[in-house]
Amino acid sequence: MQASLDLRPLGYLHPDAATLVARVQQEYVERYGNPDESPVDPAVFDLPEGVFLVGYDDAGSPVATGAWRRSTVQVLGGSSAVEVKRMFVVAEQRGRGFARAVLAALEESAREAGHDLAVLETGLRQPEAIGLYRSAGYEEIPGFGFYKDAPLSRCFGKLL
């Protein structure tokens, strides 16, 4: 049974978002030896260019994030793409369906904004993420972006 998650579009610089981004960066250090080094302009996650969601559990604690920003990637026959970024659920809340809920909300908001393709980059040391994306209908696509040629990087896409 999926637990309740209150998703709010708060922006990349909101204190709760910043706290969770710091936690995901620490997880990247643990899994890969360094944080995500791709450049990020917080403004690209502001509507209508993008969205940054923070998810709160039943106790009102921030436990999940996910975002999208416009992308120039053209694959799978899509004409207007978004890139999914900063998908994260705190370790103590995993397995409750929160990541799937965040991903579904991101896809819906991207569709509502007129986009027909979602793309993302993840890594081989995040098998849980790869499993989520595959089970949600994402398929592997050619590499793109900052980690395009990184051996541990994998890119996925899905028509919305």
Side-chain angles (χ1 to χ4, degrees):
M1 178 174 119
Q2 180 173 315
S4 163
L5 186 67
D6 176 21
L7 289 168
R8 302 175 198 167
L10 296 180
Y12 193 87
L13 297 177
H14 185 279
D16 290 342
T19 296
L20 292 171
V21 168
R23 285 192 67 178
V24 72
Q25 291 289 14
Q26 181 56 43
E27 185 148 335
Y28 295 149
V29 170
E30 292 167 10
R31 291 184 187 223
Y32 296 99
N34 53 290
D36 178 1
E37 297 173 341
S38 59
V40 173
D41 174 2
V44 302
F45 298 111
D46 293 338
L47 290 169
E49 298 301 310
V51 68
F52 194 98
L53 300 176
V54 175
Y56 294 83
D57 66 10
D58 292 333
S61 299
V63 297
T65 62
W68 63 258
R69 63 184 179 188
R70 290 180 190 256
S71 172
T72 59
V73 173
Q74 294 185 333
V75 294
L76 304 175
S79 61
S80 180
V82 300
E83 181 183 6
V84 174
K85 297 290 290 177
R86 296 297 182 251
M87 285 287 299
F88 178 69
V89 176
V90 297
E92 57 272 21
Q93 294 289 346
R94 291 180 185 158
R96 301 181 69 195
F98 290 164
R100 191 167 302 281
V102 171
L103 185 60
L106 292 173
E107 291 173 352
E108 180 62 27
S109 68
R111 274 191 297 274
E112 289 173 357
H115 303 286
D116 63 358
L117 173 67
V119 298
L120 59 90
E121 183 274 333
T122 191
L124 290 178
R125 293 185 180 153
Q126 295 167 264
E128 311 92 331
I130 291 171
L132 168 68
Y133 300 134
R134 287 188 188 281
S135 73
Y138 285 76
E139 59 186 271
E140 200 159 340
I141 62 171
F144 66 89
F146 189 82
Y147 292 106
K148 177 180 180 179
D149 298 317
L152 294 178
S153 175
R154 293 297 180 270
C155 294
F156 293 86
K158 176 183 176 179
L159 289 173
L160 301 174

